[in-house]
Amino acid sequence: MRDMMGLMKQAQQMQQKMADVQAELDTIEVEGAAGGGMVSVTMTAKGAVKAVKIDPALMLADEREILEDLIVAACSDARSRSERVMQERMAEITKGLPIPPGMKLF
């Protein structure tokens, strides 16, 4: 029965740590870029877009499609960076726990 109580306590601690990380992910910002930095997107580690910066040289009517593609690429880059940050934070919490590979906790 002692082991069960210890396990319950451990689960509660992990739950609190996960809540703390979730709150922290709202404040962590990552930046993705495309076109050699001509377009950059800043978003939170949870994926909320905060800012988009576009080099004025891309603001030409006949460059619209290129600009659209670069914005999409910059968003994708920022999203993959945010996912890495999430994975790193979760690895800190779950260190030592027998969690199956590929299992996502959020």
Side-chain angles (χ1 to χ4, degrees):
M1 195 56 121
R2 269 185 159 182
D3 291 332
M4 184 61 118
M5 293 301 284
L7 206 61
M8 294 280 284
K9 187 175 180 180
Q10 223 178 4
Q12 287 175 337
Q13 289 172 343
M14 188 173 111
Q15 191 174 23
Q16 181 58 49
K17 286 180 183 178
M18 285 181 69
D20 293 344
V21 167
Q22 286 284 343
E24 181 186 1
L25 292 174
D26 277 330
T27 63
I28 295 173
E29 291 186 354
V30 296
E31 187 174 295
M38 293 184 82
V39 174
S40 66
V41 173
T42 302
M43 67 173 50
T44 68
K46 281 182 127 179
V49 175
K50 294 292 189 170
V52 176
K53 294 179 185 167
I54 302 169
D55 187 300
L58 292 172
M59 303 298 268
L60 304 171
D62 58 336
E63 299 292 323
R64 187 180 62 105
E65 287 182 29
I66 293 170
L67 178 56
E68 291 168 348
D69 291 343
L70 290 173
I71 291 170
V72 170
C75 285
S76 294
D77 185 40
R79 183 69 186 159
S80 65
R81 290 172 191 259
S82 70
E83 287 173 359
R84 271 183 267 155
V85 169
M86 269 197 272
Q87 288 172 355
E88 290 168 4
R89 295 297 193 270
M90 288 308 295
E92 292 170 12
I93 292 174
T94 60
K95 189 174 6 178
L97 294 175
I99 296 175
M103 180 178 172
K104 293 187 177 190
L105 296 177
F106 58 117

